[in-house]
Amino acid sequence: MKYRDHLKVLMNYFKLATPVETTIADLANLLNCSERHTKTVMKSLQEQGDIKWDVHKGRGKKPQLTILLSEEQLLFQEAKKLAVDGKYRAAFELARSLHTYQDLFNQWFEADLGILKKTEEKEELDVLRYPFYETNLSLDPLNIFSRHDSHIVQQIFDRLVEYDAQSETLLPRIARNWESDDGKRWTFYLNKGVRFHHGRELTSKDVMDTIGRLPQNHVIMRVIKEIHTPNPYVVIFHLDQVDYLFPRYLSGMKLSIVPMELILDDESHFRTNPIGSGPYRLTVHDENLVRLDIFPDYYRERPWLDRIEMIKTNDFQPEAPHPLLLRAPDESWQEHTEVEEGADFIILNCNRALMKEIHVRKQICQLINPTEFCLENEMVAHSFLSYRSMAKDEDESLPCSTNVNGKITLTIAAQEIRDGVNHEREALIFQEQLKRVGIASTIDILNVKDLCKPDVLMKYDVVVGGIALSEDKLLSLIMLMQSNELAVFPSLDEETKRTVHSYIERIRMLPDDLSRWKVYVELEEYLKEAHILFFLTHRSHTIYQPKNSEYVHLELDHHGRVDYRKVWKRYG
């Protein structure tokens, strides 16, 4: 908005919609500029419709100035200009100060969301633009923790293989094929011509370097005895035992292949501005916007969307009626509610003196009423798997009496993924249930990274947390049950850890999922019967799918996100 600072000065001296006689000389003095420039300012403001400037001919006749724009209208225009310039944070802050015009700003902003056509350098682009609340994204695959991190990493990076939940099979990605004769020696053959976004070709060394970044106590590192790279396009894994699930481990987001030289050069920069080999490259990541652009040299099929713009809205909540804001735009869209696989839970730390006794853990579990934890559209969980929870009797969720010594004080840790996203609410409900039977407790909110450090975890009797499973549910659960980065495994005593390992070794040696799931269920029941793991709730997501839409795969996944790679448009 040209000359807005000059307009603000005039608005302080002249009333709205009130004609006032003045002179160029007076205005020049007021605006602290030359009379020539003042004439230019007045002409421009009149052309913008901000003022009315009537110049009357004849000796002694002074021009008349009328301010046509109110202060709030001016701020409204400024907010729009900031948004057009991509300064969304400042635009939203200014919009929040509006009263009469706040709804108008929202409507204006929302009209420019969704799938749009944009011309840039004579090229027409299909752009998906939508609000995206700030999540402090960590985009180095090794350091992702939230579903939001994983969602973006999935677009920027590729893995050797990808698990398809619908067909329950592994799909080739960077690896075009893989094989094993004995379940211990696995050979992966890489595609040629796979390039990172900065231009370098991806080779078997990058696969070895990526896996080499994992901590030595990571699940994968515990099964790999040696990695051999006989040439740039072949990777051979030698395992210490038979593991028919091993290729599925390589589909995990943390195993996205990275160019190690960039991480060694500046790891902190890579965390927010990564380079991958996926279909989209990150081009903007600042306080205003996360922008992904198509990677033209992608080795596989090209996605239809050319650009994704995720506008950081912080606490600004627009009311746009399109599916990317979790609402149906009209009645033609079909609503589906899906229960999220995974659950909120309570872990009783067997390494704490009080929790070593199974009868104490049992009595603590008996006083928990999981129905009190349920929000709207949530259901009581009896498992990490929703189908198993649905099959349970409701009576199983009812609490029983307890005679735990009321003089004890339990220490509770509430898991936190990032600032403000934690299980404090669930911990407070649990604390209230303890209080009813005379048990005192304290609550600390701990980041998931810190919580699983041995010296930190040893301070807490109970951990309240949760997990959402990935598309490969079995793999997620196996990782959960033996990972030192999550609270379940570190909370087990040594004997229980050995038992859990034995269950997982059985799962790895089985060649089919039906048999594997049977053993997993036995493992889950074992931890429940030992009163170490207590399930609270399953969350659910409302998914909208367009009926007879020109857009295909424009639908929300179980994490409330659109997989940009799959969206395309019917023409004609």
Side-chain angles (χ1 to χ4, degrees):
M1 187 176 179
K2 202 169 184 182
Y3 300 125
R4 65 178 182 178
D5 290 335
H6 292 309
L7 179 60
K8 287 180 180 179
V9 173
L10 296 176
M11 291 172 72
N12 287 331
Y13 284 88
F14 299 92
K15 291 183 179 181
L16 177 67
T18 303
V20 178
E21 288 187 345
T22 186
T23 66
I24 286 294
D26 290 339
L27 293 175
N29 184 58
L30 187 65
L31 298 176
N32 194 27
C33 58
S34 68
E35 292 187 14
R36 181 177 180 180
H37 183 63
T38 299
K39 291 179 181 179
T40 302
V41 171
M42 302 308 288
K43 181 181 179 181
S44 178
L45 292 177
Q46 178 162 264
E47 289 174 350
Q48 291 174 186
D50 301 333
I51 66 170
K52 184 178 180 182
W53 178 243
D54 291 324
V55 179
H56 303 287
K57 294 182 179 180
R59 184 181 298 273
K61 293 184 177 181
K62 294 182 178 181
Q64 277 191 338
L65 170 64
T66 307
I67 303 295
L68 302 178
L69 202 66
S70 70
E71 184 177 358
E72 179 132 323
Q73 287 174 315
L74 175 61
L75 295 177
F76 172 54
Q77 297 293 344
E78 288 184 0
K80 291 201 298 184
K81 179 65 166 56
L82 287 168
V84 169
D85 292 342
K87 300 175 181 178
Y88 294 107
R89 180 181 290 263
F92 296 143
E93 288 177 357
L94 188 55
R96 278 191 290 271
S97 70
L98 301 175
H99 299 287
T100 308
Y101 285 86
Q102 189 170 109
D103 289 342
L104 285 176
F105 177 84
N106 291 351
Q107 293 170 18
W108 171 84
F109 173 67
E110 292 155 9
D112 203 30
L113 299 175
I115 296 182
L116 314 165
K117 289 286 186 183
K118 186 173 183 178
T119 301
E120 194 170 278
E121 297 180 355
K122 297 183 179 181
E123 181 182 3
E124 192 174 69
L125 305 177
D126 290 291
V127 179
L128 170 59
R129 180 182 294 137
Y130 67 99
F132 183 81
Y133 57 87
E134 177 61 81
T135 59
N136 296 317
L137 292 169
S138 176
L139 300 179
D140 179 342
L142 185 63
N143 295 298
I144 59 176
F145 279 95
S146 75
R147 66 189 64 180
H148 308 288
D149 297 345
S150 296
H151 175 242
I152 306 302
V153 163
Q154 185 182 38
Q155 316 301 317
I156 298 173
F157 294 88
D158 267 0
R159 292 142 294 286
L160 289 179
V161 292
E162 182 172 327
Y163 185 79
D164 181 68
Q166 290 187 333
S167 63
E168 297 183 343
T169 57
L170 277 182
L171 304 176
R173 287 299 179 257
I174 292 171
R176 63 183 305 134
N177 209 343
W178 56 96
E179 60 189 15
S180 177
D181 293 330
D182 58 4
K184 291 183 67 174
R185 184 180 188 271
W186 290 90
T187 303
F188 285 76
Y189 303 94
L190 310 188
N191 280 296
K192 286 186 176 181
V194 179
R195 295 199 173 275
F196 288 113
H197 299 156
H198 66 319
R200 181 173 68 75
E201 186 178 19
L202 186 155
T203 69
S204 57
K205 183 179 184 302
D206 295 302
V207 176
M208 186 166 64
D209 288 344
T210 296
I211 294 175
R213 296 183 70 204
L214 296 171
Q216 287 302 309
N217 62 355
H218 191 277
V219 173
I220 293 177
M221 298 302 285
R222 294 204 297 261
V223 302
I224 296 176
K225 185 164 60 175
E226 182 185 2
I227 302 176
H228 183 213
T229 55
N231 66 60
Y233 306 109
V234 175
V235 183
I236 302 173
F237 297 94
H238 300 273
L239 311 184
D240 61 2
Q241 63 187 58
V242 174
D243 191 345
Y244 287 104
L245 271 179
F246 178 73
R248 284 165 67 170
Y249 281 93
L250 302 179
S251 70
M253 290 297 168
K254 288 182 180 287
L255 272 296
S256 300
I257 307 305
V258 299
M260 195 63 192
E261 73 275 11
L262 298 183
I263 296 172
L264 293 174
D265 182 56
D266 191 342
E267 186 172 1
S268 62
H269 179 75
F270 191 84
R271 185 171 296 188
T272 54
N273 295 273
I275 296 292
S277 62
Y280 291 99
R281 55 193 177 93
L282 183 71
T283 53
V284 178
H285 185 191
D286 58 25
E287 65 176 10
N288 297 296
L289 184 73
V290 175
R291 193 178 97 184
L292 304 178
D293 283 282
I294 196 75
F295 178 42
D297 295 328
Y298 187 50
Y299 67 102
R300 299 186 64 245
E301 65 271 19
R302 184 193 192 281
W304 180 80
L305 288 170
D306 300 296
R307 176 178 296 168
I308 295 93
E309 294 180 355
M310 292 160 275
I311 300 169
K312 295 185 179 181
T313 58
N314 298 315
D315 59 344
F316 177 78
Q317 296 296 331
E319 298 295 331
H322 70 78
L324 302 173
L325 295 183
L326 310 183
R327 281 185 302 280
D330 54 55
E331 294 180 356
S332 69
W333 284 65
Q334 297 176 331
E335 177 180 317
H336 301 272
T337 299
E338 286 190 357
V339 178
E340 182 177 79
E341 298 302 331
D344 288 341
F345 54 79
I346 289 176
I347 296 291
L348 289 85
N349 187 357
C350 297
N351 296 299
R352 292 278 289 176
L354 181 63
M355 294 298 167
K356 289 181 182 292
E357 301 296 331
I358 188 172
H359 73 275
V360 174
R361 300 197 302 268
K362 180 178 180 179
Q363 291 177 38
I364 294 293
C365 289
Q366 284 178 329
L367 62 86
I368 302 172
N369 183 352
T371 59
E372 295 182 5
F373 293 82
C374 289
L375 293 170
E376 186 179 358
N377 295 325
E378 292 187 348
M379 60 175 285
V380 170
H382 302 285
S383 166
F384 285 116
L385 302 166
S386 61
Y387 85 90
R388 296 195 68 228
S389 295
M390 293 175 185
K392 295 287 185 178
D393 294 329
E394 292 186 5
D395 288 344
E396 292 190 27
S397 65
L398 296 177
C400 302
S401 61
T402 180
N403 59 359
V404 175
N405 187 343
K407 295 180 180 180
I408 68 172
T409 298
L410 295 183
T411 52
I412 303 171
Q415 173 185 294
E416 181 175 65
I417 299 297
R418 62 180 186 276
D419 290 344
V421 180
N422 55 53
H423 286 77
E424 182 181 19
R425 184 190 74 89
E426 291 78 9
L428 288 169
I429 294 172
F430 178 50
Q431 184 179 57
E432 178 60 29
Q433 293 178 348
L434 293 171
K435 184 179 178 181
R436 292 173 196 165
V437 295
I439 299 176
S441 61
T442 62
I443 297 174
D444 289 330
I445 301 173
L446 295 175
N447 183 274
V448 66
K449 296 179 183 178
D450 298 324
L451 177 58
C452 294
K453 295 176 180 177
D455 59 329
V456 175
L457 185 60
M458 275 301 296
K459 299 176 183 178
Y460 297 96
D461 299 301
V462 177
V463 176
V464 182
I467 186 174
L469 305 184
S470 68
E471 289 192 330
D472 191 341
K473 295 187 289 293
L474 181 61
L475 182 66
S476 287
L477 291 167
I478 291 175
M479 298 288 280
L480 169 68
M481 293 297 182
Q482 58 181 347
S483 173
N484 287 301
E485 297 177 357
L486 298 168
V488 177
F489 189 75
S491 296
L492 307 178
D493 58 41
E494 292 304 317
E495 181 180 353
T496 306
K497 284 181 179 179
R498 287 192 292 270
T499 303
V500 169
H501 273 308
S502 68
Y503 275 109
I504 292 175
E505 287 179 9
R506 286 168 57 195
I507 292 172
R508 287 176 177 168
M509 296 180 69
L510 293 167
D512 67 285
D513 265 4
L514 186 63
S515 301
R516 293 166 182 157
W517 276 119
K518 184 178 179 181
V519 177
Y520 168 75
V521 169
E522 292 176 11
L523 168 57
E524 193 175 83
E525 288 300 313
Y526 164 73
L527 292 175
K528 287 171 62 177
E529 291 171 5
H531 303 289
I532 298 170
L533 175 62
F534 190 96
F535 293 103
L536 298 176
T537 61
H538 292 290
R539 301 180 184 183
S540 63
H541 296 284
T542 299
I543 297 176
Y544 294 102
Q545 297 174 327
K547 186 178 182 180
N548 301 321
S549 172
E550 59 185 344
Y551 296 107
V552 181
H553 298 309
L554 182 58
E555 57 191 42
L556 297 169
D557 66 14
H558 62 292
H559 290 324
R561 292 285 178 260
V562 173
D563 190 344
Y564 317 128
R565 304 171 302 168
K566 297 179 180 179
V567 175
W568 60 279
K569 182 180 180 181
R570 293 186 177 94
Y571 292 92

